Amino acid sequence: MINSKLCDLLGIEYPVFQGGMAWISDGKLAAAVSNGGGLGIIAAGNAPGSYVREQIHIAASLTNKPFGVNIMLLSPFVDEVAQVVAEEKVSVVTTGAGNPTKYMALWKNAGIHVIPVVPSVSMAKLVTRLGADALIAEGGESGGHIGELTTMVLVPQVCDATDLPVIAAGGIADGRGMAAAFMLGACGVQLGTRFLVAEECSVHPNYKDKILKASDLSTITTGKRLGHPVRSLKTPFSRALFEAEYSDISDEELELMGTGKLALAARDGDLQNGCFLAGQIAGMVKKEQPAAEIIREICEGAEPLLKGAAAWVK
Ligand code: TUI
């Protein structure tokens, strides 16, 4: 059975995190993942504190296992959400899309395990100094807001830069990805796209359908001009946004084009105007399954690969 120091640190059975996906990862999905032995994570996204508190209560009513909340640091509600997770004393907070320095003391004092997403070695060093408990090295194969580096180059460099447990994210959807991440020095993995099609995920069926039908070349990166690259599935909307970036429209108009489009995809399944965030690994995600089955399959797939690694050495 796959086990790592991350399991002991967080009190989980399998070192598998479900990535916080804005508008998608709610209390129900997080509880299903945690009940399956992984770490379920509620996404705060751009939602207010009241929504996050409600989802924490839903998750707590469905599981007695640890779960986490992902805080998107660009959110207009970030201050109140930071307070809510401290009051609710969730087991784990992960952060994304920014620098968590301002909130570290608040969360540490509440006894929360703080696990920031880092897109670079410098951010890994910073959060290590600040007292993070572990970190997530997320490569640009991921869906949503992405950094510059790929998982293959980011994970080993982050592992060299910190003594903290490192969770690899970006481009991982099965046991092979997990085994590879462990070979790069990670002791856990985080998956978003594969959990998006979990049975317990309440996202609009059109969103799941688009993931299940995706191929290797189905994603596109937009937002580079405005300094926040975002990976999503190719749709009429994302292609238009991509083209607009290279036109002479103003930054303000461009920003406006992207606003609210994730909700249109996740809540309404709007195939024309929605922004369907997804990782490059979407092409390998072919089946809707219970979250617990996904976790078991990934770990059972990685186990023989890691055990058999000695076969490569004479
Ligand atoms: O946060 C994510 N993925 C996300 S957030 C999101 S909602 C959103 N939508 C539109 C624009 C922006 C956000 C959708 N997907 N992943 C974690 C992640 N964090 N990836 C990269 C980073 C990151 C980037 C810069 C973390 C820290 C960072 O620091 C920059 C600095 O120096 O402040």
Side-chain angles (χ1 to χ4, degrees):
M1 175 169 151
I2 300 246
N3 192 262
S4 79
K5 56 187 169 184
L6 197 62
C7 298
D8 301 329
L9 176 71
L10 304 179
I12 57 179
E13 204 179 337
Y14 301 106
V16 177
F17 287 15
Q18 160 252 314
M21 296 170 279
W23 286 97
I24 298 172
S25 322
D26 57 8
K28 182 181 162 202
L29 177 62
V33 171
S34 291
N35 282 331
L39 187 80
I41 298 180
I42 295 164
N46 277 323
S50 55
Y51 168 85
V52 177
R53 198 186 298 277
E54 185 182 73
Q55 295 306 319
I56 291 171
H57 292 170
I58 289 171
S61 74
L62 296 172
T63 185
N64 52 17
K65 305 261 177 74
F67 61 87
V69 173
N70 172 256
I71 301 201
M72 208 278 280
L73 293 163
L74 294 172
S75 165
F77 296 106
V78 58
D79 285 345
E80 65 178 68
V81 170
Q83 205 62 47
V84 165
V85 296
E87 285 165 20
E88 297 289 335
K89 298 194 186 304
V90 294
S91 296
V92 174
V93 163
T94 65
T95 63
N99 181 337
T101 302
K102 183 177 165 193
Y103 306 105
M104 288 295 290
L106 170 71
W107 295 332
K108 295 301 301 168
N109 288 336
I112 293 172
H113 291 108
V114 184
I115 310 185
V117 169
V118 298
S120 63
V121 165
S122 61
M123 188 58 75
K125 286 182 175 163
L126 174 77
V127 301
T128 301
R129 272 200 309 277
L130 291 172
D133 295 279
L135 33 93
I136 302 168
E138 186 191 277
E141 297 93 323
S142 299
H145 181 71
I146 51 173
E148 188 63 34
L149 299 173
T150 62
T151 303
M152 182 79 126
V153 300
L154 179 65
V155 172
Q157 293 187 78
V158 166
C159 290
D160 285 346
T162 184
D163 291 329
L164 295 176
V166 174
I167 297 113
I172 301 170
D174 67 3
R176 291 172 295 179
M178 182 179 200
F182 275 52
M183 289 294 182
L184 295 176
C187 63
V189 290
Q190 174 169 284
L191 290 72
T193 307
R194 184 145 182 208
F195 282 117
L196 195 148
V197 301
E199 275 176 14
E200 298 88 347
C201 178
S202 308
V203 74
H204 193 284
N206 285 355
Y207 205 138
K208 289 189 180 181
D209 203 46
K210 283 195 77 64
I211 300 279
L212 295 171
K213 290 191 174 131
S215 68
D216 53 345
L217 296 175
S218 288
T219 72
I220 188 170
T221 307
T222 56
K224 284 188 180 153
R225 185 172 125 190
L226 298 176
H228 47 79
V230 168
R231 183 180 300 286
S232 66
L233 293 175
K234 288 175 185 165
T235 60
F237 163 76
S238 63
R239 287 179 202 271
L241 188 60
F242 185 84
E243 276 174 29
E245 278 188 71
Y246 297 93
S247 76
D248 56 4
I249 77 165
S250 69
D251 285 359
E252 290 72 26
E253 278 176 284
L254 197 58
E255 187 88 53
L256 215 60
M257 253 184 103
T259 306
K261 299 303 192 293
L262 177 54
L264 287 184
R267 191 190 54 206
D268 307 335
D270 187 332
L271 298 170
Q272 285 300 314
N273 307 304
C275 179
F276 294 79
L277 303 183
Q280 285 183 317
I281 207 71
M284 247 167 59
V285 175
K286 292 290 165 219
K287 201 160 58 171
E288 187 174 6
Q289 292 167 286
E293 198 175 292
I294 293 174
I295 296 166
R296 250 195 335 270
E297 256 186 39
I298 291 164
C299 292
E300 282 172 7
E303 208 170 303
L305 297 175
L306 291 169
K307 266 194 191 153
W312 293 106
V313 187
K314 223 170 167 185

